[in-house]
């Protein structure tokens, strides 16, 4: 976590993906169709404390969230639900802080928090890679 805080001095965004160097930032896969995954993800995100759903577009699989930090900064988070094949979906997250300077690793922690919550809710469908 110290490494993430130091990186966060300069960088104010973080994202997940298939080719992420950090194993914690790899895409998460679920054995669900895109539509089923969408329903589960959107219902879970709407119930999470501290996050506000600003925009959702099911046709492209994007959900835009907003989170306010304890220091008054605003974080914009985009959650993407992607169809890998008809029976499998992936979830990727991009998080960025508004304002100057870095985020001290808060975007990284937010992504881990979202993934932890989604993995708990969708544990029966999680694909371990």
């Amino acid at each position: 976590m110290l490494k993430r805080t130091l990186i966060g001095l300069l960088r104010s965004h973080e994202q997940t993906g298939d080719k992420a160097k950090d194993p914690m930032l790899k895409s998460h896969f679920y054995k669900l169709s895109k539509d089923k995954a969408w329903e589960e993800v959107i219902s879970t995100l709407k119930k999470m404390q501290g996050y506000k759903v600003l925009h959702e577009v099911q046709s492209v699989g994007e959900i835009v969230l907003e989170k306010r930090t304890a220091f008054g900064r605003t974080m914009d988070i985009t959650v993407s639900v992607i169809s890998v094949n008809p029976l499998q979906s992936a979830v990727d997250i991009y998080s960025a802080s508004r304002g100057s300077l870095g985020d001290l690793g808060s975007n990284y922690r937010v992504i881990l928090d979202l993934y932890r919550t989604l993995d708990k809710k969708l544990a029966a469908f999680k694909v371990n890679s």
Side-chain angles (χ1 to χ4, degrees), residues 18 28-30 32 34 82-91:
D18 285 347
H28 285 216
F29 294 90
Y30 303 98
L32 287 169
K34 182 182 175 190
I82 304 148
S83 177
V84 177
N85 62 47
L87 299 175
Q88 189 172 343
S89 299
V91 175

Side-chain angles (χ1 to χ4, degrees), residues 1-20:
M1 275 309 197
L2 178 63
K3 177 184 171 191
R4 281 285 152 196
T5 304
L6 293 174
I7 290 170
L9 288 172
L10 303 172
R11 193 164 56 181
S12 62
H13 65 88
E14 198 66 67
Q15 69 183 21
T16 65
D18 285 347
K19 295 178 173 80

Side-chain angles (χ1 to χ4, degrees), residues 11 15 23 44-45 50 55 57 59 61 64-65 70-71 76 84 92 94 100 107 110 112 128-129:
R11 193 164 56 181
Q15 69 183 21
T44 303
L45 294 177
H55 193 64
V57 184
S59 59
V64 178
L65 305 168
F71 300 110
D76 296 309
V84 177
D92 276 319
Y94 176 84
S100 60
N107 285 303
V110 162
L112 296 184
N128 294 322
S129 49

Side-chain angles (χ1 to χ4, degrees), residues 82-122:
I82 304 148
S83 177
V84 177
N85 62 47
L87 299 175
Q88 189 172 343
S89 299
V91 175
D92 276 319
I93 303 170
Y94 176 84
S95 180
S97 297
R98 293 184 199 164
S100 60
L101 297 174
D103 64 1
L104 299 177
S106 63
N107 285 303
Y108 180 77
R109 290 188 297 275
V110 162
I111 288 173
L112 296 184
D113 180 45
L114 289 170
Y115 269 158
R116 198 172 14 256
T117 303
L118 290 173
D119 285 349
K120 198 180 298 180
K121 173 83 166 140
L122 301 171

Side-chain angles (χ1 to χ4, degrees), residues 65-84:
L65 305 168
E66 183 180 82
K67 177 178 174 55
R68 297 217 183 262
T69 65
F71 300 110
R73 289 186 77 175
T74 303
M75 299 167 78
D76 296 309
I77 305 153
T78 303
V79 179
S80 301
V81 179
I82 304 148
S83 177
V84 177

